[in-house]
Amino acid sequence: MTKKIVLAYANPDEIGPELEILGSGDFNVVATKGGLVTGSQLTDPDIWPLVQDASALLTGLHIVSAEMMDQMPNLELVTRVGTGYDAIDFAAAEERGIWVTNVPDYSIDEVSAHAIALSLALVRHLFEHRQTGQEGTWRYMGHTPIKRLANLTYGVVGLGRIGKASARKAAGLGMSVIAYDPYIPPGDFEAVGAAPVDFDTLMSTADIVSLHVPLNPETRGMIDARALSLMKPTAFLVNTARGPVVDVPALVAAVRAEQLAGAGIDVLPVEPCPIDDPVLHEPRIIVTPHLAASSVEAVHDVRVRGAEEAFRVLTGNAPKYPVNAPAGPRNGAKA
Ligand code: NAD
């Protein structure tokens, strides 16, 4: 029987990379993104009929709930074509025998580079100095002191794949590196030259606090008013992980109160961010629109690896990047 694969992140006229992988199988490949306007859901009436009979659902950031899975009788696999899978109820999928997979390794270089780019822009006051130059002030402005990188401490919260890469890059630029991650062995800190510290020590001593934790019940709201109050008034917060890790109104208030010097943010709790949100208009906060993972190479790689995962599972093989472990996968896919 021909199996349906729904690509919920792609337009129908741009699925060349996926078809290179899936074209040799007995699959009906359907791309829905053209019908998904900003903020819409897979369950919207014009999209849901396309999605409901899928055997594999490949998604971007859309919610995939237990209720949806209960109405998808053929579903064997949900693949997050990206890294963070917090929008997919992977535990409910496991109970229902459905694999959930992601692509954990396509943008380690890109996201860590973006964390460093935001850090350097903040430390060097890049945007402020661009503006003063445009206004005709052609000299170093002492009221925004620039510190030597070798005198700065880069603090990584969550020393996983991307956290380690950003630690290496920060060390390569001459910064001292400290890290907080209660779930990894001591050797992981040593491997990247990061000194292990507890959370409060990191928040109170780092010149740059760079967040690289997954979003889960423990990390949601981890950077709240209390955590921000620990930061040095000269320090910066960088978030390329997930928006809800930071209490954004508390961040804006803390920056305005000069509890910290500024922030670089790629991810926000609501995306796209409403254009009247104060976080977009605070001069000491740089916001980029969730593009840290982006590069020509990464966008190609993630699509190919997502499609490969669908091919594997729908032809009865185990996935390469499982994030759950269903005991009895539907329709015979092997564990
Ligand atoms: P990873 O799973 O490899 O690493 C996460 C690390 O965080 C692990 O070492 C884990 O032990 C640690 N951790 C978990 N809970 C923690 C806690 N409470 N306190 C401290 N450490 C904790 O993940 P990754 O691939 O490095 O991704 C990191 C983050 O980057 C994720 O949030 C992911 O969604 C995000 N991301 C963002 C983009 C983007 O475009 N902005 C792209 C890819 C990934």
Side-chain angles (χ1 to χ4, degrees):
M1 189 191 78
T2 302
K3 293 185 174 182
K4 185 173 188 178
I5 299 175
V6 170
L7 312 179
Y9 57 87
N11 287 315
D13 59 351
E14 54 172 32
I15 57 172
E18 288 84 354
L19 290 180
E20 275 176 35
I21 306 300
L22 300 170
S24 62
D26 185 12
F27 304 124
N28 171 23
V29 182
V30 174
T32 59
K33 192 182 168 200
L36 280 164
V37 296
T38 299
S40 62
Q41 300 292 328
L42 294 173
T43 47
D44 286 354
D46 50 338
I47 296 295
W48 187 234
L50 294 174
V51 172
Q52 201 173 355
D53 58 348
S55 295
L57 173 59
L58 277 59
T59 71
L61 292 164
H62 290 100
I63 291 167
V64 183
S65 66
E67 293 72 30
M68 291 167 67
M69 295 174 208
D70 285 340
Q71 295 169 50
M72 300 181 74
N74 301 330
L75 192 63
E76 296 176 50
L77 167 74
V78 182
T79 288
R80 161 74 169 108
V81 182
T83 300
Y85 48 85
D86 41 272
I88 303 168
D89 191 337
F90 56 91
E94 183 167 302
E95 287 166 11
R96 289 159 176 76
I98 299 166
W99 287 107
V100 175
T101 67
N102 70 342
V103 187
D105 55 358
Y106 78 104
S107 64
I108 297 168
D109 185 48
E110 285 78 4
V111 181
S112 59
H114 202 75
I116 295 294
L118 289 169
S119 301
L120 291 179
L122 291 162
V123 167
R124 302 289 308 171
H125 301 286
L126 214 59
F127 293 98
E128 185 179 347
H129 291 136
R130 179 176 191 263
Q131 190 182 341
T132 53
Q134 287 171 336
E135 290 166 354
T137 303
W138 209 249
R139 62 185 165 80
Y140 172 52
M141 301 291 287
H143 69 266
T144 51
I146 299 173
K147 292 187 74 178
R148 179 177 290 169
L149 291 184
N151 289 341
L152 297 183
T153 297
Y154 188 80
V156 176
V157 182
L159 198 62
R161 294 179 190 85
I162 296 168
K164 285 193 182 81
S166 73
R168 283 197 189 92
K169 286 175 175 153
L173 290 166
M175 291 184 256
S176 306
V177 181
I178 59 176
Y180 167 67
D181 190 327
Y183 301 111
I184 58 172
D188 280 25
F189 293 89
E190 286 162 25
V192 295
V197 292
D198 63 42
F199 180 71
D200 283 9
T201 303
L202 187 139
M203 294 304 295
S204 58
T205 56
D207 296 291
I208 298 157
V209 174
S210 195
L211 305 178
H212 299 288
V213 288
L215 176 62
N216 58 36
E218 189 187 18
T219 60
R220 184 177 290 274
M222 181 181 200
I223 307 299
D224 56 9
R226 186 199 79 87
L228 292 163
S229 75
L230 299 174
M231 292 181 71
K232 300 192 287 192
T234 52
F236 299 99
L237 179 76
V238 171
N239 186 13
T240 57
R242 276 290 177 272
V245 175
V246 177
D247 178 341
V248 175
L251 170 66
V252 173
V255 169
R256 288 182 176 164
E258 300 187 349
Q259 285 176 9
L260 69 161
I265 303 287
D266 185 56
V267 284
L268 283 162
V270 178
E271 296 177 358
C273 183
I275 57 171
D276 57 351
D277 191 309
V279 74
L280 295 182
H281 305 286
E282 167 52 50
R284 287 164 290 192
I285 299 178
I286 302 170
V287 179
T288 54
H290 202 150
L291 51 70
S294 301
S295 73
V296 173
E297 295 89 342
V299 169
H300 178 266
D301 289 355
V302 75
R303 296 174 69 154
V304 166
R305 289 178 202 172
E308 286 172 343
E309 203 70 313
F311 193 98
R312 269 191 285 273
V313 171
L314 295 191
T315 53
N317 297 296
K320 186 173 177 186
Y321 305 113
V323 300
N324 67 352
R330 288 185 187 177
N331 302 325
K334 295 188 196 87

